[in-house]
Amino acid sequence: MDAPRVDSEVGALRTVVLHRPGPELERLTPRNADRLLFDGIPWVERAQVEHDAFADLLRAHGVRVLLLGDVLVEALASPAAREAGIADAVDERALGRELGEAVRAELRGFDDAELAAALIGGRAFAELGVTGSSLVRAMSAPHDFAVDPLPNLMFTRDSSIRVGPRVVASSMGMPARRREASLVALAQRHHPELGVVAPTAPRDPLSVYSSDPAVEGGDVLLLAPGVLAVGVGERTSPAGAESFARAMFADGLAHTVLAVPIAQRRATMHLDTVATMVDTDTMVIYPGVLDGLEAWTVRPDGPDHLDIRGPEPFRPAAARAMGIDELRAVDTGVESVAAEREQWDDGNNTLALAPGRVVAYERNTTTNARLGAAGIEVLTIAGFELGSGRGGPRCLSCPWERAPVE
Ligand SMILES: NC(=[NH2+])NCCC[C@H](N)C(=O)O
């Protein structure tokens, strides 16, 4: 059987990985929300209702939805996966060696479902049975975390990146999200059906590798087969973009990478917060950056050498790399206050189900109306609670298979 592939942002979506938010969101408090990258305290049950509606909409359009929580439990049937997950979750630098070992021992006693819940939802000291002499334990409040929760796991876009048949485990820029990438990679690698093989041989048709300098999936757009745009800003560093580009070139997965500088701000944490593909030749781009967006065009030039040119305006550079006359941008209202409000609420963060058909948050009425006027079919979901972590339909989904675009 051929490996599933993703070669574009818009080819008909066949399979997608989502994560239904759960108890990990109940960990958020006003005291820790900033550190855990949330702007509000979500109502968890409502977030689940919204997420279920999103998954149902995708299923109604013929998309197979894989839920990360289920995938993880199945993967944890492997003893090696259990041990790797536990090793990753227990930070000896925070707990010390003795307490770390005690927490590991307790986690080893959990069944697969309990362990998955602990790896995702974290564990407070009060919820663990570990006793014994530990200064860390003695000096910690009962609700302090012995194992950190992963409330951003539902933003599956960021923690792994599928390009062609390859799955790249991201190297997360934010400390609060570092463990997500290894947990997701573990779930994928050990899952009997997803069956992604070991990370060792980079030229295997299917493999997972992570590039050490930071690169997060929300920054990576597959503009066209062989053409990637990589946002460089708060999450992805220039070194991350470069090592990602080199890996893509070495494995023949891209011929051009456009490095796109974006402001290092919360509102523009990833490239996909300001621009996403809505059709083979059309993007929705936040008007506040539309004219200023630039790109460095990076191409391979011999085995180790890179040909780097720029910076120049993004759209013509992208069009040239994609081999089209023009990369259209949907006009969502030049510099209007509505555009700024809706950018904050992920109005530009659409998920394409097929060329010209996207999922968007219903609240972004101005942006959605402009998309409709430009001939794009917009399917909407509620995102009042889901959006409190700042992420829209694209962030909430990791495409696992898309049909080729014509
Ligand atoms: N691809 C995206 N835009 N993802 C949004 C991630 C939101 C998440 N709370 C974070 O700050 O990391």
Side-chain angles (χ1 to χ4, degrees), residues 37 152 155 157-158 177 218 235 266 269-270 272-273 349 389-391 395:
L37 308 172
N152 292 290
F155 302 114
R157 176 69 60 163
D158 299 323
R177 302 198 63 182
R235 305 302 175 88
R266 174 98 185 125
M269 71 184 112
H270 293 114
D272 72 2
T273 61
N349 192 265
R390 303 261 75 69
C395 315

Side-chain angles (χ1 to χ4, degrees), residues 190-266:
H190 291 275
H191 189 271
E193 187 194 348
L194 303 184
V196 181
V197 295
T200 43
R203 282 172 200 282
D204 279 355
L206 271 177
S207 75
V208 177
Y209 53 81
S210 85
S211 39
D212 284 338
V215 48
E216 294 194 358
D219 276 318
V220 179
L221 305 188
L222 283 67
L223 297 181
V227 184
L228 306 181
V230 181
V232 174
E234 189 186 85
R235 305 302 175 88
T236 297
S237 62
E242 178 174 335
S243 73
F244 186 74
R246 287 182 188 274
M248 291 292 118
F249 297 151
D251 290 345
L253 294 170
H255 57 76
T256 308
V257 170
L258 300 165
V260 182
I262 47 175
Q264 300 218 13
R265 275 206 304 266
R266 174 98 185 125

